[in-house]
């Protein structure tokens, strides 16, 4: 640690495990994503994390709570949608390391060995600080092969002119998991516009015998975006997705109403039985309709065996529907530069005006064919990029 925040070398993160809230394993670091603003040092915008069964996904830098050579910890829900590089972004391990560049003062050619990144608390971000390089042929003979560390501004030839590749090479050295995974450029597959792709990890799960006070305490155990803190999902063990049988949802407002008078009342007696669950293959239009029709900020995703897989939040849906790089476009909304906040508030316990009756939708799940795929691909969940 230093006075201005921690530092690390990017090569030390290759392959390290990534953990979510509560120590839940997410995956392993495959690469780091950097943006190159004009006239300023490169900014770390996030990590590419290899997740078993999902391929490479993007974790915004604003979600990182611990970034060390031994492990990485993140907070909030992690989108399981496959990583796609954005305009102006480069992969640090895949595109910067081993690249031949020149020193600004002498024009001498060197090879990039590593990049040191430091945290800038006053700016609320991670920035590249120094480049570790090796002198190549062409310099003075007595210096050939010598390693040196220079400020980023002392190097010419970065960032690379070519865009980030459509394939993310695995740098973990984990054998079978180290194959290159294709990342579609431009259009999205139907899978990428389903509830399974939209859902994030980290919903609050409690057993049916848990009391009201215990359920509220579970919400407060870890940092959550507002949409995930608006309800608890009642499931039989195991208590982490994929869970045992999903029984239903209890809005946090209902817990708060009963906490003063019945703190030990089991949550199973407070289930909102009208709320539907989403099938993993539910298309994006049907997910949007579910959230809107029932005035929800999050909806559970349940597989055919009745297990809770995760939850789709309203902010994940909105980010998918918005155009690419909508934050940079402005639209009159100030950019905080920090983490994306979740939608506020849960729906009222009573039916609001216009809320459909229980028979308006299937009682257990939206079938994947409820709506045909429609519209152009929307924005990305990585609003911090």
């Amino acid at each position: 640690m230093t006075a201005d925040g921690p530092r690390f070398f990017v090569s030390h993160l290759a392959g390290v495990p990534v953990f979510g809230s509560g120590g839940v394993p997410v995956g392993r670091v495959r690469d780091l994503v950097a943006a190159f603003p004009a006239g300023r040092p490169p900014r770390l915008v996030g990590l590419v994390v290899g997740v078993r069964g999902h391929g490479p996904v993007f974790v915004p830098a604003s979600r990182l709570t611990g970034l060390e050579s031994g492990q990485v910890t993140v907070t909030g829900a992690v989108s399981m949608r496959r990583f796609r590089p954005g305009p102006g972004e480069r992969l640090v391990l895949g595109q910067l390391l081993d690249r031949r560049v020149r020193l600004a003062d002498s024009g001498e050619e060197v090879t990039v060995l590593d990049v040191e990144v430091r945290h800038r608390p006053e700016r609320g971000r991670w920035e590249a600080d120094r480049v570790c390089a090796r002198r190549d042929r062409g310099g003075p003979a007595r210096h050939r092969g010598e390693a040196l560390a220079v400020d980023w501004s002392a190097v010419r030839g970065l960032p690379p002119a070519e865009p980030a590749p459509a394939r993310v090479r695995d740098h973990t050295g984990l054998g079978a998991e180290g194959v290159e995974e294709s990342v579609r450029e431009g259009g999205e597959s139907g899978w990428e516009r389903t509830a399974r792709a939209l859902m994030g990890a980290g919903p609050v799960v409690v057993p049916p015998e848990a009391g009201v006070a215990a359920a509220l305490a579970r919400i407060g155990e870890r940092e959550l975006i507002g949409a995930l803190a608006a309800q608890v999902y009642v499931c039989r063990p195991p208590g982490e997705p994929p869970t045992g049988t999903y029984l239903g949802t209890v809005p946090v407002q209902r817990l708060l109403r009963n906490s003063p008078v019945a703190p030990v009342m089991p949550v199973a007696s407070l289930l909102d039985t009208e709320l539907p669950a989403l099938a993993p293959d539910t298309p994006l239009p049907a997910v949007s309709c579910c959230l809107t029709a029932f005035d929800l900020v999050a909806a559970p995703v349940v597989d055919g065996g009745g297990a809770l897989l995760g939850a789709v939040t309203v902010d994940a849906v909105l980010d998918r529907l918005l155009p690419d790089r909508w934050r940079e476009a402005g639209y009159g909304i100030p950019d905080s530069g920090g983490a994306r906040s979740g939608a506020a508030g849960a729906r009222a316990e009573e039916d609001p005006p216009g809320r459909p009756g229980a028979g308006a939708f299937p009682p257990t799940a939206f079938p994947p064919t409820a709506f045909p795929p429609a519209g152009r691909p929307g924005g990305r969940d990585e609003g911090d990029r």
Side-chain angles (χ1 to χ4, degrees):
M1 296 283 184
T2 63
D4 56 358
R7 298 172 180 259
F8 67 89
F9 288 101
V10 295
S11 64
H12 294 178
L13 286 185
V16 305
V18 179
F19 296 92
S21 302
V24 177
V26 176
R28 291 181 179 270
V29 175
R30 288 216 178 162
D31 215 316
L32 299 87
V33 185
F36 293 79
R40 291 176 8 201
R43 174 173 59 91
L44 180 66
V45 296
L47 304 178
V48 181
V49 178
V51 179
R52 186 183 295 274
H54 291 275
V57 303
F58 179 77
V59 177
S62 59
R63 300 278 180 87
L64 304 177
T65 56
L67 195 57
E68 301 169 357
S69 58
Q71 68 177 37
V72 174
T73 54
V74 301
T75 185
V78 176
S79 170
M80 291 294 110
R81 278 179 290 142
R82 193 178 290 270
F83 165 74
R84 288 187 300 148
E89 295 176 349
R90 301 293 186 271
L91 300 176
V92 179
L93 299 179
Q95 292 187 275
L96 302 192
L97 302 195
D98 299 322
R99 177 170 289 271
R100 302 180 94 172
V101 297
R102 293 187 179 276
L103 300 179
D105 56 352
S106 64
E108 180 183 348
E109 192 173 64
V110 297
T111 298
V112 177
L113 300 178
D114 215 333
V115 176
E116 186 182 44
V117 176
R118 69 166 175 168
H119 189 230
R120 300 296 296 268
E122 74 280 5
R123 300 180 184 176
R125 62 187 181 215
W126 297 82
E127 291 183 350
D129 188 33
R130 294 189 299 171
V131 175
C132 296
R134 181 185 65 245
R135 295 182 187 273
D136 292 337
R137 298 182 300 275
R142 66 181 182 277
H143 292 314
R144 291 175 188 170
E146 177 185 354
L148 68 158
V150 297
D151 290 338
W152 184 271
S153 58
V155 174
R156 296 291 179 266
L158 294 176
E162 66 271 17
R167 292 177 180 265
V168 181
R169 185 177 298 276
D170 184 22
H171 298 272
T172 64
L174 297 178
E177 293 185 12
V179 297
E180 291 184 346
E181 302 239 16
S182 176
V183 181
R184 293 178 176 85
E185 291 183 325
E188 298 173 295
S189 68
W191 182 90
E192 292 172 313
R193 293 172 62 82
T194 63
R196 186 190 295 274
L198 290 168
M199 74 180 186
V204 181
V205 179
V206 296
E209 66 274 11
V212 171
L216 289 171
R218 186 68 185 273
I219 295 175
E221 285 178 356
R222 51 195 172 92
E223 184 178 352
L224 296 167
I225 61 173
L228 289 179
Q231 64 282 304
V232 298
Y233 300 109
V234 182
C235 306
R236 300 200 181 280
E240 294 292 339
T243 67
T245 303
Y246 166 76
L247 301 178
T249 301
V250 180
V252 70
Q253 185 181 53
R254 189 171 293 187
L255 294 174
L256 292 171
R257 285 181 177 176
N258 286 275
S259 178
V261 296
V264 297
M265 176 185 293
V267 292
S269 63
L270 300 175
L271 295 176
D272 189 331
T273 57
E274 295 185 8
L275 298 182
L278 299 170
D281 295 331
T282 304
L284 176 60
V287 174
S288 305
C289 288
C290 174
L291 295 175
T292 303
F294 286 85
D295 200 15
L296 299 175
V297 293
V301 180
V302 178
D303 67 13
L308 177 71
L309 303 181
V312 177
T313 60
V314 67
D315 51 336
V317 173
L318 289 175
D319 280 347
R320 176 60 89 182
L321 295 174
L322 288 168
D324 286 338
R325 307 194 69 81
W326 62 271
R327 286 187 179 276
E328 286 80 355
Y331 299 112
I333 304 174
D335 187 356
S336 63
R340 173 174 53 85
S341 61
R347 71 165 182 83
E349 183 176 337
E350 295 80 18
D351 290 352
R355 176 181 176 179
F361 292 93
T364 56
F366 275 76
T369 56
F371 293 87
R376 64 178 294 276
R380 299 182 305 188
D381 188 43
E382 303 89 43
D384 306 271
R385 297 168 73 177

